[in-house]
Amino acid sequence: MVRMTNNALSTVEAQIRERAAAYCESNNIPGFVAGVYHAGEQVVVAHGAANAATGAPMLEDTGFLFGSVTKVLTTTLVLQQVERGVLDLDAPAVRYLPELTLTAPGAADKILVRHLVSHTNGIDADLFFPDAKGRDALKTYVKGLAGSCGALFEPGEQLSYSNGGMIVAGRLLEAVTGLPFPELLKREVYTPVGMTDSGTSAEEAILRSTAVGHFLDPQTMAARPTSMFMLPDTWGPAGGTPIGTVADLLAFGRTHLAGGVSPSGTRVLSPESTALMQQVAFDMATPNTPPIGLGWVLYPFGDTTVLAMSGASPGGVSILCVLPEHDLVFTAFGNNPGAIMLQDQILRWLLSEHLGVQLPALITELEEDVDLTPYVGTYRSNQLRVDVSVVDGQLEERVTYEPADASQERIFTRFAGGRVCAPPQRLVPIRPGLFAPAGYPLEAFDGYLRLLLVSYHDVRAGQARFRNGGGRLTRRV
């Protein structure tokens, strides 16, 4: 790590340290680690404990699960194969993976390779957790889609955050390279980028300082370690298994800042592919779902675009943000899901105070007298049901998890820390089709937490076809 001499970065270090200590203390978050690279220098700050059960400290080089930040790594692997002429973004995925099938006849045949990494594939598998390990884990996942998962929409028609699409992309990479995904990731990303402390297994992680996730005990509100360190190997390309450090993710972010050249000078991706990942591939034109590139989510903060991806792991949350216009990378991990609020605070402080970016209010007022009837009904996606009704003049949503089998229930329940159904949520209208959870100040949605807004789309015959929560679609039934 480069130690700072820059006064501005000294202020960044002090701010992160102060904010982490205060937030973790008041919200029972055991540990937090964050890093910022800016204009040639970087700093890493660690606070608290990596494991509340053992008391192991969170260190600057403590490893953690990347979660869905992995999706940008998986997309980088796909673009490498496109550059080499092995893959064509506009070819059907079944050209390379003939066994790809969904329960909806013919639906898989329409999915292009680019749909897999732009979250526009429509695969209805967001909570599909087949339990398998080893070399054939991704093959098992794809095989399981045929009997368990359908399609939410026609490929390219909508945008819905897609774990399934990234996992299929990982299996497609295995098919065309002949290498297992973990080996390909190490050879083509970890090594050339210089991610020297990254791996994909608990067996590797146990040999060094590694954080574990925590959940708050509902009775005592004390942090307790997760009972499941990572998701099954079947979820590797979507973020289930990759592990590394803040320094590793800073190096990866810097590679994308530098047009595909790693900090050591190794060419990882071409300038054209790096730029393509940052271009808008689909825009839902709604504040709660920013435009998507290939792999990256493109968050608008005023006139500045933040390339971002956050990642949930059992009891933990990570984030990676790249700001090409300002030569800055920010990454962080907290070992309790509530740390996402701290990450949002730090990101907004970096933008407004460190970089001087003007952050306009995303939502300025609420609209009264919005007709709520088009949104009432039941919406479904894989193992999830959302019942929407009108109560006391407001929309009320009830989200219910409906496990497909005991194995999937066990995995998801442990991933979620035991809570699988949220309490009813009241929504207040911002405008037709866009709602905010009741009780939040409007400024809360100016940053990363705009994902808490809920939108409804494609109103036909007086009824919305889709509900969008957290960037994920459910379809009216």
Side-chain angles (χ1 to χ4, degrees):
M1 182 186 70
V2 178
R3 298 308 301 175
M4 302 177 313
T5 57
N6 183 292
N7 287 334
L9 277 184
S10 295
T11 302
V12 168
E13 180 183 33
Q15 275 288 327
I16 294 176
R17 197 174 300 281
E18 180 181 330
R19 288 172 180 268
Y23 191 89
C24 291
E25 174 73 20
S26 60
N27 293 277
N28 294 330
I29 294 173
F32 187 78
V33 60
V36 175
Y37 164 86
H38 187 206
E41 297 186 83
Q42 69 185 47
V43 59
V44 177
V45 174
H47 172 82
N51 187 328
T54 65
M58 186 76 82
L59 304 173
E60 292 180 3
D61 64 349
T62 293
F64 53 87
L65 284 157
F66 291 162
S68 287
V69 171
T70 303
K71 291 179 171 68
V72 190
L73 281 67
T74 300
T75 305
T76 298
L77 289 169
V78 169
L79 267 294
Q80 287 174 338
Q81 297 305 317
V82 171
E83 289 178 10
R84 295 166 189 172
V86 177
L87 290 177
D88 180 349
L89 283 175
D90 293 310
V94 293
R95 175 188 296 180
Y96 311 103
L97 208 57
E99 65 269 30
L100 175 61
T101 309
L102 301 175
T103 57
D109 298 343
K110 303 175 184 178
I111 298 172
L112 306 181
V113 174
R114 71 168 61 248
H115 292 145
L116 297 175
V117 292
S118 62
H119 302 274
T120 56
N121 50 79
I123 297 172
D124 187 11
D126 204 49
L127 296 179
F128 180 51
F129 292 100
D131 193 3
K133 294 181 180 294
R135 181 65 178 85
D136 291 332
L138 302 188
K139 185 181 295 186
T140 298
Y141 183 95
V142 171
K143 182 179 179 180
L145 291 175
S148 304
C149 300
L152 279 170
F153 51 82
E154 290 283 313
E157 175 193 29
Q158 300 283 349
L159 167 66
S160 184
Y161 186 86
S162 178
N163 289 305
M166 284 292 173
I167 298 169
V168 171
R171 174 58 193 143
L172 187 152
L173 286 165
E174 290 186 336
V176 299
T177 65
L179 295 174
F181 181 80
E183 185 177 331
L184 186 66
L185 183 63
K186 179 178 180 180
R187 190 182 80 174
E188 301 291 354
V189 174
Y190 288 170
T191 298
V193 169
M195 301 171 71
T196 55
D197 291 318
S198 290
T200 55
S201 72
E203 289 81 1
E204 293 170 301
I206 202 171
L207 299 176
R208 59 185 317 280
S209 173
T210 302
V212 301
H214 297 74
F215 295 97
L216 294 182
D217 186 297
Q219 304 300 321
T220 65
M221 295 307 292
R224 54 176 175 79
T226 174
S227 62
M228 178 176 68
F229 175 59
M230 62 166 54
L231 287 169
D233 290 357
T234 51
W235 268 55
T241 59
I243 309 162
T245 64
V246 160
D248 287 344
L249 284 185
L250 287 175
F252 180 77
R254 290 175 61 185
T255 300
H256 280 264
L257 271 184
V261 177
S262 75
S264 67
T266 303
R267 169 67 64 186
V268 179
L269 205 60
S270 72
E272 294 76 16
S273 294
T274 307
L276 182 61
M277 288 178 63
Q278 301 175 17
Q279 293 174 10
V280 174
F282 200 96
D283 188 354
M284 290 282 284
T286 182
N288 58 315
T289 302
I292 199 85
L294 299 184
W296 292 112
V297 181
L298 313 179
Y299 280 81
F301 285 87
D303 294 331
T304 294
T305 297
V306 176
L307 312 175
M309 183 58 72
S310 64
S313 53
V317 61
S318 63
I319 192 169
L320 174 64
C321 299
V322 174
L323 286 70
E325 300 159 65
H326 297 278
D327 194 24
L328 186 143
V329 181
F330 164 59
T331 189
F333 170 80
N335 56 4
N336 176 272
I340 192 171
M341 304 285 284
L342 175 58
Q343 293 166 357
D344 182 55
Q345 284 182 16
I346 295 171
L347 174 60
R348 288 204 272 176
W349 182 88
L350 285 168
L351 285 162
S352 61
E353 301 300 323
H354 181 61
L355 298 175
V357 174
Q358 295 295 316
L359 302 182
L362 191 69
I363 306 297
T364 57
E365 59 184 0
L366 301 176
E367 185 174 330
E368 298 180 358
D369 300 323
V370 171
D371 181 11
L372 304 181
T373 55
Y375 319 115
V376 172
T378 296
Y379 302 78
R380 288 184 183 270
S381 60
N382 179 259
Q383 302 179 65
L384 197 69
R385 187 182 80 237
V386 183
D387 294 301
V388 182
S389 59
V390 176
V391 179
D392 299 330
Q394 295 179 331
L395 280 189
E396 181 178 273
E397 295 189 336
R398 293 177 177 266
V399 180
T400 304
Y401 173 57
E402 300 178 323
D405 54 50
S407 174
Q408 302 218 22
E409 181 176 21
R410 173 181 56 82
I411 293 169
F412 179 69
T413 301
R414 294 170 75 186
F415 174 77
R419 294 184 60 184
V420 294
C421 292
Q425 174 70 64
R426 293 285 182 91
L427 300 174
V428 294
I430 297 169
R431 62 175 185 249
L434 182 65
F435 296 82
Y440 282 80
L442 294 184
E443 60 268 21
F445 309 116
D446 290 344
Y448 207 78
L449 297 185
R450 65 190 71 185
L451 292 176
L452 293 177
L453 300 173
V454 175
S455 58
Y456 293 84
H457 300 270
D458 197 5
V459 177
R460 301 182 185 183
Q463 291 187 328
R465 288 181 65 209
F466 297 102
R467 171 195 177 269
N468 184 331
R472 293 165 163 86
L473 292 186
T474 47
R475 187 179 59 199
R476 179 184 291 274
V477 293

